[in-house]
Amino acid sequence: VQLVESGGDSVQAGGSLRLSCVASGFPFSTYCMGWFRQAPGKEREGVAAIDTEGRTNYPNSVKGRFTISKDNAKNTLYLQMNSLKPEDTAMYYCAADSCPPTGPAPLITPAYFFYWGQGTQVTVS
């Protein structure tokens, strides 16, 4: 399994970025996916998750600003981030695992996922 994130950058507050995560080594269309972030000195937190039926889950901190999507034909997961704030500054990671039977609620929790990418840095000033 390989997950490779890209798209991180330094932007001004109010700006937008789109992160990408290219997946390989597993049946992408049948796995649940998530985006997580970790700032220095803080715990890793979930920012978006999506299941195989397209159901999504976001924490209140990013709801309405971030959108997760996946392109099964390209084995790629995306995170569109709008109205960025300085507090969004962090290393962003994508993650993959088989889906829970109960729906997307557990997917916002880092402990749920086994497979992780190396991360891409987002800095908002």
Side-chain angles (χ1 to χ4, degrees), residues 8 11-12 32 36 40 45 51 64 71 90 94-95 102 109 111 114:
V11 296
Q12 292 189 338
C32 282
F36 297 83
E45 63 173 352
D51 70 6
D71 186 334
C94 70
T102 54
T109 304
F114 184 79

Side-chain angles (χ1 to χ4, degrees), residues 32-34 36 49 95-98 106-116:
C32 282
M33 303 291 296
F36 297 83
D97 212 318
S98 55
L107 298 176
I108 210 65
T109 304
Y112 182 84
F113 287 91
F114 184 79
Y115 300 109
W116 292 85

Side-chain angles (χ1 to χ4, degrees), residues 1 6-7 26 89:
V1 173
S6 63
F26 64 97
T89 294

Side-chain angles (χ1 to χ4, degrees), residues 4-22:
V4 180
E5 302 96 333
S6 63
D9 204 346
S10 296
V11 296
Q12 292 189 338
S16 298
L17 282 175
R18 188 176 80 156
L19 306 183
S20 299
C21 172
V22 178

Side-chain angles (χ1 to χ4, degrees), residues 30-63:
T30 67
Y31 270 53
C32 282
M33 303 291 296
W35 283 102
F36 297 83
R37 66 186 180 189
Q38 189 166 19
K42 295 188 176 181
E43 292 186 354
R44 189 168 297 191
E45 63 173 352
V47 295
I50 188 168
D51 70 6
T52 57
E53 298 182 26
R55 293 177 295 185
T56 57
N57 192 2
Y58 303 93
N60 289 334
S61 59
V62 306
K63 197 172 291 184

